[in-house]
Amino acid sequence: MSSTPVKVAVTGAAGQIGYSLLFRIASGALLGPDTPVELRLLEITPALKALEGVVMELDDCAFPTLAKVEIGDDATKVFDGVNHALLVGARPRGPGMERGDLLEANGGIFAPQGKALNEVAADDIRVTVTGNPANTNALIAMSNAPDIPTERFSALTRLDHNRAISQLAAKLDVPVTEIRKMTIWGNHSATQYPDLFHAEVGGKNAAETVNDQDWLENTFIPTVAKRGAAIIEARGASSAASAASATIDHARTWVEGTADGDWVSMAVRSDGSYGVEEGLISSFPVTVSGGQWSIVQGLDIDDFSRGKIDASVAELAEERDAVKGLGLI
Ligand code: NAD
Ligand code: LMR
């Protein structure tokens, strides 16, 4: 095992997602069995007592990869020297709400956290925003951290990506491992566009293999895009274990890279690719190598896909304008 622990910050660590995420990170699911991890856990003051209980449980697991745990309510202390920041802490939506309804409540969390990361994080910091509305919260954090390269900020659409893979695999009765090149475009919201036209099943085009435009438009896309709401309706609480798992998948891919012949979905700062307004944090197909992501280039976008991508990007621009109006960026 290497000797210097990698410092991983998790915000909202006493929450639902934290309760699954921390144990996976501590057991090596993020950085592997040979890399010791130091957890830096941020919570609001009233939740620190509950967080102390979670830390007792972490201790009780005796994970060989867990070198140290520090907790606190001061972002500039907790983020000091961190290499990864998983920004989960934010209010979840309840039944009947859209994720955008959380902008005002949650946006205010990400400006001070962006400033704190800018001030004290390690030079190689990588930031993943899971707290909703994730894309625009990542934009807020990025805008408040002018000294951190913009490509170090991302938001989670890997959960949508995994949901899309699972729905497609079930439709075609194939293992999920047969599916490659899935893409989620746009916002982590009901306007997101899960794209089967570039995905592959067993090496063949997914949309052609499905050969059912009605299923694609009226079942697949809405099932993936509204899955979060369906879980809230069924569970009475928003997705937690699957969100934690996708957060690990996202951050691990950022470290390890994508498999040959495959890509993943990540919401990252647009450079204008595929007509997505530059500067918005929008989900794209990306490959990752050497810790750096690149947007996959050269995909043909037909009129159907164009309309879907444009609608989701228009929503991101509206969210950006709203947080500008609130003085958060
Ligand atoms: P939760 O309410 O169980 O936990 C949130 C925690 O964040 C709480 O413990 C709270 O005290 C803490 N918190 C609030 N403000 C904070 C701050 N300023 N600093 C640090 N911690 C703070 O919620 P949850 O179910 O764990 O969900 C967390 C967020 O993740 C929600 O916004 C939810 O909508 C979002 N989410 C996103 C995805 C995704 O795919 N992007 C998936 C699931 C959930
Ligand atoms: C999800 O997609 O499950 C999360 O974003 C939670 C939500 O509000 O849908």
Side-chain angles (χ1 to χ4, degrees), residues 10-19 41-48 72-73 75 87-93 99 102 106 108-110 112-113 129-135 137 155-160 163 188 232 235 237-240 242-244 246-247:
V10 178
T11 69
Q16 287 201 94
I17 295 175
Y19 197 63
L41 309 180
L42 184 70
E43 258 298 349
I44 52 171
T45 317
L48 285 176
D73 57 5
L87 306 185
V88 177
R91 198 182 132 193
R93 65 175 167 155
R99 298 183 188 94
L102 297 168
N106 288 344
I109 295 173
F110 292 84
Q113 290 185 359
V129 177
T130 296
N132 279 319
N135 300 53
N137 289 338
L156 190 73
T157 48
R158 188 66 169 267
L159 180 55
D160 311 290
R163 287 167 171 166
H188 172 63
I232 291 168
R235 231 170 69 82
S238 70
S239 66
S242 56
T247 301

